[in-house]
Structures are given as structure tokens and as C-alpha cells.
Amino acid sequence: MIVDCAIYRDGCRTEGPADFSDALDEARARGDAFLWIGLHEPTEKEFELVTSEFGLHPLAVEDALCAHQRPKLEVYDDSLFLVLKPIQYDDKAGTVTAGELMVFVGDSFVVTVRHGEANPLGTVRDRLEKRPEVLQHGPTAVMYAVSDAVVDHYLDVADALHGDLEGLETEVFAPNAGAGQNTAGRIYAFKREVMEFRRSAGPLGEPMERLTGAGVPFVHEGSRPFFRDVSDHLTRVNEHVEGLDRLLSDILSAHLAQMGVRQNDDMRKISAWAAMAAVPTMIAGIYGMNFEHMPELKQPWGYPGVVALMVGVIAVLYRWFKRRGWL
């Protein structure tokens, strides 16, 4: 459906025809204005009129309708096509959800198509309408503002992930870590969310680099420094996410190493107790073989002597294992 449709002239929103076809004709007739139309999850039938009126390329239209695209920038004869993946982070559930945002930019129009719940466009439009000096750059200003909003939110999500990761790291290295907890599963689930983040932010670097240079049509020359700023922020995001991924791998390795050390300690304790239990078992086994010629069986000190021998050997073994740290 159409979320909003407006004509912008000299950086200011102006009243125009209710029908976007007439509004586009008016924007092109003025020469110094452009039309911005926002769509949310349009159907193929709803998008047909937009396609015919704006002359959008069929391949770009197919991508906009089907979604599930990676971030990219496509240059066509009559328009630019930019794909962004805004994300949402639910810190309670610990999940990263990626949406999709497509931006078509032409000579006198901008078409934004949104899929998913992540929606930076409402605040973007409000912010831009308060900054006419940016909107004066034409349709490119909208592409910049949308990209900037998406990347700035990446930074917020990266900071939130880092905070949760610090909590997970503290838990892993706690003295009683792993007791009755699926720590390895939580680390792996966190790593999957970071991977979802990387799939959204990583591929966007190449399109932003292209927009900072010359030779890309429909891009206002004065907007290139703005795209350079977005590219710098995106580089910080990607470095941050890469650091999170490495830290998660290190935490997982440390956790597995801790589990191995604990298992070795448990096995040493079990072995020590088994060795001490083997002594009375062995002695009792010898006297249980029913030999006839065992002189101590007929002596009054036989029973207490054997018991004292068992206790003495066990005490020596216990002290030895204790000194070696096995108990």
C-alpha cells in the first residue's frame, strides 16, 4: 500500500495532486521538484501502476516485489536501485531480525519500498523535512538520508549486542559457570544473530563506496561527501561486528577448554576415589578365596590387623592424592 506521497520543491514539502501520476507530471514540469512515494509490502498488482508511470526496470521491480535480496546498488538507464537491510534487535529474546528496504531514484522521483517490521522511513521523512538544505539536493538526498538512518541504527544494534556479549562473557568465566546451563548453545545462538547482522551490513560497503565516487548517474555531486560519511560509519559497524564475531569464537573456545579442564578434574577425583576403594576390595578378595593355610586367620589380632591395614593404606593414598591436587 502507499504510505505517503509528496512533492518537494526547494527542500520544502508542497501540496500536489492526490494522484501520484499527476504529481509526477507536475514535478517533472517544474524541473526543480521531485516526487517521493513510499510503499509498504506492495502486491504485484499494486506495483504495476508505479512501474508503468515511473518506468522502472523489470529486474529491479522483480527484486522489489520478491524481496530476500542482499544489499546492492544497480544502475539502469532511467533509475538507480539500492537495496538496504534495516535490522531490529530484541534484547529480551536475543534475536536480530532483518527487513528489506528498496530505493528507486530517478530524474524527478524517489520510490521507497519496505518489507518487514524494521521501519526507519517515518523518522527519515520527518527529519528531512526539517532540513531543507539537504532536501535541495533532490532525490539523492532521500537515498542518503535512508542509508544514513539504516547505518546509524546498525551502530545502536552493535552497541546493544556488545553489551549483551559482555554479560555472556562474565557468565562464562564465573566460578560456577556451566552448572546446569546450556552455555555453549547460548553462545552458538548469539553467533547466529551476529552472522545475521553481518549479512545485512557487510555487503552494503561496496554500494556506499560507489556512491562516494563519480560516474554514478542520478547522484547529485554535492551529496557525495554525505555518502562518504555514511561509508565511514558503515566501516565502523563492520569492524565492530567482525570484532564481536571473533570475540564470540574466543569465548566459545574458552568455554570448551573450561569444560575439558572440569572433566579432567572430575575424572581425577573419580580415579582417586576408585583407587582408594580398590584397596579394601583387593584385601577382602584375598581373604575371600577360602584358602585353608592362612595362619593369621587363627590369630586373635587377624581381623583388627587386616582392618587397620586397609585404613592405613587408604589414609596414605588419600594424603598423596590430596597433596597432588586430585581431591
Side-chain angles (χ1 to χ4, degrees), residues 165-242:
L165 183 56
E166 287 179 348
L168 182 60
E169 184 179 16
T170 302
E171 180 182 315
V172 167
F173 291 103
N176 60 343
Q181 299 175 359
N182 184 21
T183 306
R186 292 181 58 198
I187 296 173
Y188 183 72
F190 203 107
K191 196 173 180 66
R192 286 179 61 88
E193 302 308 321
V194 172
M195 185 179 298
E196 179 69 21
F197 195 170
R198 293 186 71 172
R199 281 199 294 262
S200 299
L204 188 58
E206 189 269 338
M208 290 298 107
E209 284 292 331
R210 289 177 61 188
L211 289 170
T212 61
V216 180
F218 307 108
V219 176
H220 192 279
E221 186 175 353
S223 65
R224 292 194 181 104
F226 294 95
F227 283 112
R228 192 175 299 116
D229 181 67
V230 175
S231 181
D232 291 341
H233 289 176
L234 183 61
T235 300
R236 285 174 49 199
V237 169
N238 287 328
E239 290 175 350
H240 200 163
V241 174
E242 186 177 352

Side-chain angles (χ1 to χ4, degrees), residues 1-326:
M1 64 177 181
I2 297 178
V3 178
D4 199 353
C5 179
I7 297 177
Y8 294 88
R9 183 179 184 185
D10 294 329
C12 299
R13 181 169 182 151
T14 62
E15 295 297 329
D19 184 76
F20 70 83
S21 301
D22 297 334
L24 178 61
D25 293 337
E26 181 177 328
R28 284 174 170 167
R30 289 180 176 181
D32 58 349
F34 70 93
L35 174 68
W36 180 2
I37 179 173
L39 304 171
H40 178 226
E41 296 184 356
T43 63
E44 185 175 353
K45 185 176 181 180
E46 291 172 338
F47 209 55
E48 282 181 359
L49 183 58
V50 177
T51 302
S52 60
E53 290 295 333
F54 290 88
L56 305 179
H57 196 279
L59 293 177
V61 171
E62 181 180 356
D63 290 343
L65 289 173
C66 297
H68 304 295
Q69 304 297 316
R70 68 194 303 269
K72 62 180 180 178
L73 176 66
E74 299 287 352
V75 179
Y76 298 104
D77 293 336
D78 299 324
S79 63
L80 286 179
F81 178 59
L82 176 66
V83 179
L84 302 162
K85 293 184 76 69
I87 60 175
Q88 281 185 325
Y89 178 56
D90 186 347
D91 55 351
K92 293 183 179 179
T95 56
V96 173
T97 305
E100 290 198 34
L101 183 58
M102 290 81 169
V103 184
F104 295 88
V105 172
D107 54 349
S108 301
F109 67 87
V110 179
V111 178
T112 54
V113 182
R114 178 170 62 90
H115 293 267
E117 296 301 322
N119 179 25
L121 294 180
T123 57
V124 167
R125 192 182 287 263
D126 293 339
R127 261 199 335 255
L128 272 179
E129 290 178 354
K130 296 175 183 177
R131 299 180 63 188
E133 71 279 3
V134 178
L135 269 176
Q136 285 179 350
H137 291 154
T140 312
V142 177
M143 179 180 284
Y144 151 72
V146 172
S147 304
D148 186 56
V150 170
V151 173
D152 283 348
H153 190 60
Y154 284 168
L155 289 169
D156 296 336
V157 172
D159 290 339
L161 284 171
H162 188 78
D164 289 350
L165 183 56
E166 287 179 348
L168 182 60
E169 184 179 16
T170 302
E171 180 182 315
V172 167
F173 291 103
N176 60 343
Q181 299 175 359
N182 184 21
T183 306
R186 292 181 58 198
I187 296 173
Y188 183 72
F190 203 107
K191 196 173 180 66
R192 286 179 61 88
E193 302 308 321
V194 172
M195 185 179 298
E196 179 69 21
F197 195 170
R198 293 186 71 172
R199 281 199 294 262
S200 299
L204 188 58
E206 189 269 338
M208 290 298 107
E209 284 292 331
R210 289 177 61 188
L211 289 170
T212 61
V216 180
F218 307 108
V219 176
H220 192 279
E221 186 175 353
S223 65
R224 292 194 181 104
F226 294 95
F227 283 112
R228 192 175 299 116
D229 181 67
V230 175
S231 181
D232 291 341
H233 289 176
L234 183 61
T235 300
R236 285 174 49 199
V237 169
N238 287 328
E239 290 175 350
H240 200 163
V241 174
E242 186 177 352
L244 289 175
D245 189 58
R246 286 199 304 267
L247 185 57
L248 273 170
S249 298
D250 293 341
I251 291 175
L252 181 59
S253 299
H255 172 68
L256 294 178
Q258 282 184 330
M259 295 298 295
V261 170
R262 291 193 188 98
Q263 288 177 352
N264 287 336
D265 289 341
D266 293 342
M267 287 302 300
R268 286 192 299 180
K269 291 178 181 179
I270 292 172
S271 300
W273 286 110
M276 288 187 289
V279 172
T281 302
M282 181 187 68
I283 296 175
I286 292 174
Y287 283 96
M289 291 191 294
N290 298 319
F291 287 119
E292 183 177 353
H293 300 288
M294 298 181 73
E296 62 273 19
L297 293 178
K298 308 240 188 229
Q299 301 295 329
W301 51 264
Y303 175 74
V306 171
V307 172
L309 176 64
M310 291 181 182
V311 173
V313 174
I314 291 174
V316 171
L317 288 175
Y318 179 84
R319 185 174 181 182
W320 185 71
F321 285 134
K322 194 74 172 177
R323 185 178 299 174
R324 292 179 61 89
W326 284 40

